Amino acid sequence: DMYVVFDNIDGEFWDKEVNYLPEDLWEFKFKVKSNTSNNKFIQVNKAKSKFIVSSVEVRPLSLVINDIRPKDSKDTVYDVIIYDDKGNIVDESTQEPAEVYEKDNTKSKVKTTYKALDKDCKYIKIVYKELKLIPNPDAPGYIDKEKENIEDVVFKIDLN
């Protein structure tokens, strides 16, 4: 028997004009076993300012953060940066569409997947930044800029 272990798969957009893909129906039959024994689920439930970190899941191939944050508005956006215990930024992989969290529609429940951490990583820092959107004078759209007199909100999550 052949087994394939899937943890998190990022799909790439496939352009039929550039990459040839036969139109025939393809069928594959093989057993797939999802190995979650190395996943570490940490129930956090910590709140600071406008933010709540619900949970963190450390997987061999990814890091998943579930949080609740204010919804972006026409003049404010919220940026999230993850740092490992060595101060390196952990790259975001995917973010699922936000779910409305409160009846007044002011907060979102968000699940974001990041690239994998080193196996020996002892903690992560989750940093929330509040950014001001300013109309771009040189092109359509906006420029984001850190708001003055607003401190970043930082969570340190131990992974042990």
Side-chain angles (χ1 to χ4, degrees):
D1 290 343
M2 181 176 106
Y3 291 96
V4 179
V5 177
F6 292 101
D7 176 37
N8 182 23
I9 299 173
D10 293 328
E12 293 286 328
F13 179 75
W14 190 269
D15 186 350
K16 282 181 153 184
E17 301 297 321
V18 176
N19 305 300
Y20 174 72
L21 183 65
E23 296 291 329
D24 295 337
L25 177 64
W26 295 24
E27 186 174 323
F28 300 94
K29 291 184 181 185
F30 53 90
K31 294 179 184 178
V32 177
K33 180 180 178 184
S34 179
N35 182 357
T36 59
S37 64
N38 291 330
N39 293 2
K40 184 186 288 187
F41 184 82
I42 302 165
Q43 194 70 40
V44 179
N45 292 328
K46 287 186 181 177
K48 286 186 186 177
S49 183
K50 308 171 189 178
F51 308 95
I52 300 170
V53 176
S54 304
S55 64
V56 172
E57 188 172 358
V58 181
R59 300 174 179 177
L61 300 176
S62 63
L63 170 70
V64 179
I65 308 284
N66 289 291
D67 66 359
I68 298 168
R69 60 181 92 151
K71 288 183 75 173
D72 293 342
S73 65
K74 65 179 182 172
D75 61 352
T76 303
V77 294
Y78 298 92
D79 194 16
V80 183
I81 303 170
I82 309 297
Y83 294 93
D84 66 13
D85 59 353
K86 295 169 187 68
N88 300 313
I89 293 177
V90 181
D91 293 329
E92 183 177 321
S93 179
T94 60
Q95 181 173 311
E96 294 183 10
E99 297 177 31
V100 174
Y101 178 68
E102 293 184 342
K103 290 180 183 178
D104 65 359
N105 204 22
T106 60
K107 292 198 175 192
S108 296
K109 190 183 232 182
V110 181
K111 178 178 183 177
T112 309
T113 303
Y114 296 86
K115 303 291 182 187
L117 299 169
D118 288 339
K119 289 181 181 182
D120 63 340
C121 185
K122 294 180 181 16
Y123 66 86
I124 58 170
K125 283 188 180 176
I126 304 172
V127 179
Y128 293 91
K129 294 181 173 287
E130 189 170 330
L131 305 173
K132 181 178 184 178
L133 287 176
I134 303 166
N136 186 343
D138 301 322
Y142 292 87
I143 301 169
D144 54 23
K145 179 181 178 184
E146 284 195 46
K147 287 188 173 182
E148 295 178 20
N149 303 321
I150 295 183
E151 288 189 32
D152 296 342
V153 177
V154 180
F155 291 85
K156 181 179 175 187
I157 310 296
D158 289 320
L159 303 178
N160 297 326

